[in-house]
Amino acid sequence: MSIKENLLAIKKNIPDTVTLVAVSKTKPMSYIQEAYDEGQRVFGENRVQEMTEKWENMPKDIEWHMIGHLQRNKVKYMAEYVSLVHGVDSPRLLAEINKQAEKHNRVISCLLQVHIAEEDTKFGFNEEELLDLVANEEFKAFKNVKIVGLMGMATFTENMDQVRREFASLKSLFTKLKSNYADFTTLSMGMSGDYNIAIEEGSTMVRIGSSIFGSRN
Ligand SMILES: *Cc1c(COP(=O)(O)O)cnc(C)c1O
């Protein structure tokens, strides 16, 4: 199957209300161009340097999403153009994004990453830390970041009941926060192997790489 065919098959499979982030990390710009030519405009990357190189060389109406674990000292390189940061996993990172966004007179949209997996290898806040953060006056005063929702990754497992349970727990946390925070619109969950379950459990944004561009090394 070609990138075009993969993309069309996935789009047919997801509702119009769910945003597709085409995860192009490690893949060449020619692959991105192929998806772009089919109308795809939202791409996800997990390394700032690679994303910046692609941003510099690709059409300017692409929305670049940073989906990976982000180091604070890299934020400055993408503050000019990044459109959504999915993996905000510490208050210090949020503060740095605010600081760098201010230098460019921008408001950068961010998702708080929640630790939902039973594995302990994945980054993110637990529920208590999350509730503390969104209620914190210091963070509420930030003018150059806007927290628009949550992001999570399920455990890497064949056990789809467990995956479903983890997504459901993230959705319930999202619903709880959404009633208090008007900016909460986005729930980023679901990848190639589990996006159908994620959508059934309330995802509004899926991050799909290998099912579009082929497997990575
Ligand atoms: C790589 C990556 C994806 C895409 O994974 P696929 O299984 O290739 O769809 C989604 N989310 C994050 C955070 C990733 O790092």
Side-chain angles (χ1 to χ4, degrees), residues 23 25 46 67-68 151 153 190-193 207-211 216:
V23 175
K25 62 188 185 196
N46 71 340
I67 63 167
M151 178 268 208
M153 287 167 86
M191 321 191 347
S192 290
R207 310 175 309 269
I208 301 180
S210 45
S211 291
R216 294 174 300 271

Side-chain angles (χ1 to χ4, degrees), residues 66-162:
M66 172 44 62
I67 63 167
H69 180 63
L70 180 60
Q71 288 169 323
R72 271 178 296 136
N73 61 2
K74 301 284 170 60
V75 173
K76 58 178 174 286
Y77 301 114
M78 60 173 204
E80 183 183 348
Y81 70 89
V82 70
S83 68
L84 181 63
V85 182
H86 287 237
V88 176
D89 61 358
S90 76
R92 292 170 80 199
L93 178 59
L94 189 65
E96 177 66 14
I97 297 170
N98 184 62
K99 179 178 153 191
Q100 297 299 334
E102 190 178 1
K103 290 185 184 167
H104 296 278
N105 257 316
R106 298 187 67 218
V107 177
I108 297 180
S109 293
C110 295
L111 302 175
L112 300 175
Q113 184 167 355
V114 185
H115 186 278
I116 53 170
E118 285 167 21
E119 301 166 305
D120 51 29
T121 51
K122 298 211 167 100
F123 299 99
F125 296 102
N126 64 34
E127 176 164 350
E128 192 187 340
E129 292 165 338
L130 190 71
L131 296 174
D132 280 352
L133 178 68
V134 293
N136 184 309
E137 294 303 328
E138 184 191 343
F139 291 104
K140 280 194 200 163
F142 284 167
K143 297 265 185 295
N144 298 85
V145 287
K146 184 165 144 186
I147 298 171
V148 297
L150 304 178
M151 178 268 208
M153 287 167 86
T155 302
F156 188 71
T157 171
E158 301 282 302
N159 182 346
M160 287 302 151
D161 291 334
Q162 182 182 347

